[in-house]
Structures are given as C-alpha cells and as structure tokens.
Amino acid sequence: DKGGWSSFMAKEVSEEPEAVANTLRGRIRDGVVSIPELDGLDDLFAGINRIIVIACGTAAYAGMVGKYALEQWARVPVDVELAHEFRYRDPVIGSDTLVVSISQSGETMDTLMAVKYAREAGAKTVSICNTQGATIPRESDAIVYTHAGPEVAVASTKAFVAQITALYLLALHVGGVRGTLTPTEIAQHVLEIEAVPEKIQRILDRSQEHIEQFAGWMADTRSVLFLGRHVGYPIALEGALKLKEISYIHAEGFAAGELKHGPIALIEPGQPVFVIVPSPRESPVLHSKVVSNIQEIRARGARVIAVAEEGDAAVLPFADEVLHIPVAAPLVEPLLAVVPLHIFAMGLATAKGLDVDQPRNLAKSVTVE
Ligand code: F6R
C-alpha cells in the first residue's frame, strides 16, 4: 500500500527519518548504547584484529560509510568488500576477523555465500539485515536488525540510512567494549545520532519540492558526476548508483581527490557535477580541499550542484545550485547528504516518466549469483 504516495519509493524516502529513529529505538539507554542482540560477544569484540564488511550495491556503500565510524570509534582496521569479489579471491581470514554482512533483503545470494565462506574459514559473523528471519541472519553468529520497515521499491533508500545507523550503533558498542571511547564520548555521539531523524525531516519539509523541480529541469541531461571526500565519497557513489538505476542516465561517483588522476578529463562545459561538501566548521581542512576541487571543475565549465551545510557561504560563489542540509557532526553528515540525492534521482526519473519502483532489468532481491 503506497499510503497515498505516487510511488513506493516516494513513500520510502518520506520514511527515512523513521527508519533511523526505529533502528535506534530500544538500543540507547541514558546515553549508553546497549544492543541486546550482541550480549555475550564482548570477548569476541575485545579480541578481534580486523573487521571485513561484505555487501553488494547500496548496502556496500553503507558499509563504506560505516568503516569510518568503526575505525575512528572502535579503532579496528576495516575493509569493505563486495561480497562477490570477496569469496572468489582466497581472502586471509581467521578467528581474529569479524565479518559484518549488510543486506536489506537478507537473501542476496552473493552476500549469503560470502558469509558462509567466512564462517567456514573460522571468522565470526554479524549480520545487519532489514528482514526478520531471512537467510543471511540465520547463517550468522549474531544479528543486528535495521528497523526500516518493508522496502518495496527496487531502489534502496530508507534501508540505506538504517544500515548506516546500525553500523554506527555497532561502532559505538564495540568502541565501548574495547575502551577506545569513554562513556562521555559515546553519549556525545549518541546525542548527535539521535538528532538525525529530525534533521532529515527538515530536509524533506524544506527542500523536497525544490529538489524535485530542479531534477525536472535536468530531465534531458545525459550524464551526471558525483564527487565527495571522506564519508562524502560513498555518498557520491550512492548518488550515482541511484540515478543510473532508476533514471537510466550515465552517472559516476568519484573521490574528489581522484579528480586530477583522471576523471577531470571528463569535465566539459555544462557537465553537471554534484559535490558533497563537508562542514566548514566541523571539517575545515576537508572543506577547503573540496572547495578547491569545485573551483577546478568550475574553471573547466562544470555546472556545480553543491550539497552543503546551511550557512556555508564559501561554496556560494562557485555553485550553480546549492542543496542545503542541516549542520551536523562529520560522521552524521552522510545520513543527511544522501537525502537530497535520493530525492533528486526520484525526481529526475519521475520527470522522464519512468516507473521509479520497478526499473528495467532489476529485481528487488538478487537470489542468483
Ligand atoms: C540499489 C539497490 C541494490 C541493493 C543490492 C543489495 O538501490 O537496491 O544495489 O542494495 O542489491 O541488496 P541487499 O541489501 O538486499 O543485499
């Protein structure tokens, strides 16, 4: 039931605030992260030397975002691997490796086979999954469910923000167990994450209409590039995937620092480029790097669409369009920056008259390899 929305995707984007809130619910008590599903695993978390995150598509991009939190907060080295690449390359894993799988459906064959492979190799597995009782969680040692609610549209939206939320909870939990975070630090991060649903809602209330209209103006575009740094990089990849998936437009995401190593050759007058801009106050160094990337592409004629913090005056002179997001801590920012990109992809596909819920050639759950 679309509940009055024009598509399941529109409904599910509108549910992004609840997806985050519901994934947090019951897992935070007085500023302390407590995930009952992980009870009894403290020795495991204290003893691991490495985490490998395995997933496909959008879930893998959530994993890339989670890597920053797991490394920064829990101080464990993290590799993020596409499940189908992981299992066919004889990876080095053992009992000191924690494998974290991420899957909305819990049925993705590539991810399932990678989890089985990891278990057979002696690794412990935690699964982050949105579907109760699905196959991947049943094959795992522990499960942290995302509570985004059923996702019907093929393109994943609310599950993505819920996956990042679950990874952040996991990172805070493991950081607490390993003693790499103090209770005060955990409480501070928890406060920032708890503010996310309201901030996403603000983007939807204030900007959705404008972004959809803007996407409509771009309906004839043949190619869109997305740039980001740090946690903005996986968000650039996600923005590009969503756009190609439902609007059939060529789209590519790049790490902004990689520009001069090749992709800048693609920039010609009029080329639309989305740039995820870090907070000028929270991440001044990254911010100035990204602003100079914007200047570089702008000098070559790119049409810059900046996703930037409210009040960021530095990007204004160089951006043709600014999509604003509320002020947030650096690791919280991706949960906000992705929202305009989801709205944009949906708006553009809708303007092209496409079925946003059922893009061609794709299935919601990929149960074959
Ligand atoms: C993109 C999308 C896919 C899935 C991928 C993994 O919008 O939906 O890239 O994210 O097929 O699916 P799950 O999470 O069910 O394992």
Side-chain angles (χ1 to χ4, degrees), residues 14-343:
S14 82
E15 290 167 349
E16 289 189 354
E18 290 152 68
V20 173
N22 290 342
T23 301
L24 293 174
R25 184 158 301 127
R27 290 168 170 165
I28 291 169
R29 234 155 271 139
D30 306 323
V32 176
V33 175
S34 108
I35 308 176
E37 299 95 314
L38 301 179
D39 279 353
L41 296 180
D42 285 9
D43 287 347
L44 169 71
F45 292 139
I48 50 173
N49 288 321
R50 194 172 162 214
I51 294 175
I52 303 179
V53 177
I54 48 177
C56 302
T58 282
Y61 298 149
M64 287 173 73
V65 175
K67 170 186 164 99
Y68 292 85
L70 284 161
E71 291 196 338
Q72 192 170 321
W73 293 341
R75 306 305 300 157
V76 188
V78 179
D79 292 309
V80 183
E81 297 243 14
L82 296 169
H84 35 89
E85 287 293 321
F86 170 78
R87 58 179 289 235
Y88 290 112
R89 65 164 180 73
D90 200 7
V92 181
I93 37 178
S95 56
D96 63 345
T97 311
L98 175 69
V99 168
V100 177
S101 71
I102 311 171
S103 176
Q104 188 287 128
S105 62
E107 301 296 344
T108 300
M109 184 59 78
D110 287 314
T111 309
L112 172 63
M113 297 313 280
V115 169
K116 286 190 174 174
Y117 180 99
R119 278 190 104 178
E120 278 159 24
K124 289 283 181 226
T125 56
V126 171
S127 119
I128 293 179
C129 180
N130 197 47
T131 311
Q132 299 279 333
T135 312
I136 294 171
R138 274 189 288 150
E139 289 288 336
S140 306
D141 297 298
I143 315 162
V144 179
Y145 280 110
T146 47
H147 297 296
E151 195 178 61
V152 178
V154 164
S156 186
T157 53
K158 63 176 181 174
F160 178 72
V161 290
Q163 285 159 351
I164 294 174
T165 305
L167 284 160
Y168 283 9
L169 286 171
L170 178 68
L172 293 173
H173 179 87
V174 176
V177 171
R178 292 170 71 90
T180 50
L181 288 174
T182 65
T184 316
E185 286 168 331
I186 293 175
Q188 180 58 38
H189 296 312
V190 161
L191 271 182
E192 284 158 0
I193 298 169
E194 283 183 314
V196 167
E198 186 260 328
K199 290 181 182 180
I200 297 180
Q201 191 60 51
R202 214 155 88 204
I203 301 170
L204 296 173
D205 292 345
R206 292 192 188 170
S207 315
Q208 178 154 9
E209 221 171 295
H210 167 71
I211 298 168
E212 284 175 348
Q213 193 180 47
F214 172 69
W217 296 332
M218 288 186 59
D220 293 331
T221 304
R222 311 231 347 229
S223 155
V224 181
L225 305 181
F226 294 78
L227 296 180
R229 263 176 197 265
H230 194 259
V231 282
Y233 169 42
I235 297 304
L237 297 176
E238 164 67 3
L241 176 63
K242 216 93 311 174
L243 190 61
K244 64 184 101 161
E245 198 176 5
I246 62 169
S247 75
Y248 318 147
I249 288 176
H250 169 254
E252 263 189 276
F254 299 108
E258 197 62 10
L259 261 183
K260 57 176 82 57
H261 302 286
I264 200 161
L266 287 170
I267 306 293
E268 54 185 22
Q271 170 69 52
V273 185
F274 277 76
V275 186
I276 317 301
V277 186
S279 163
R281 264 157 296 185
E282 300 277 347
S283 315
V285 176
L286 286 178
H287 178 266
S288 68
K289 295 265 180 226
V290 170
V291 171
S292 40
N293 292 140
I294 291 179
Q295 289 168 307
E296 283 157 16
I297 56 172
R298 183 58 190 254
R300 289 160 179 85
R303 194 167 152 213
V304 175
I305 304 114
V307 176
E309 192 175 281
E310 286 160 3
D312 181 349
V315 296
L316 297 178
F318 311 110
D320 297 273
E321 178 71 35
V322 183
L323 309 179
H324 288 290
I325 56 171
V327 178
L331 288 183
V332 166
E333 215 183 56
L335 285 165
L336 308 180
V338 76
V339 179
L341 305 187
H342 284 167
I343 299 170

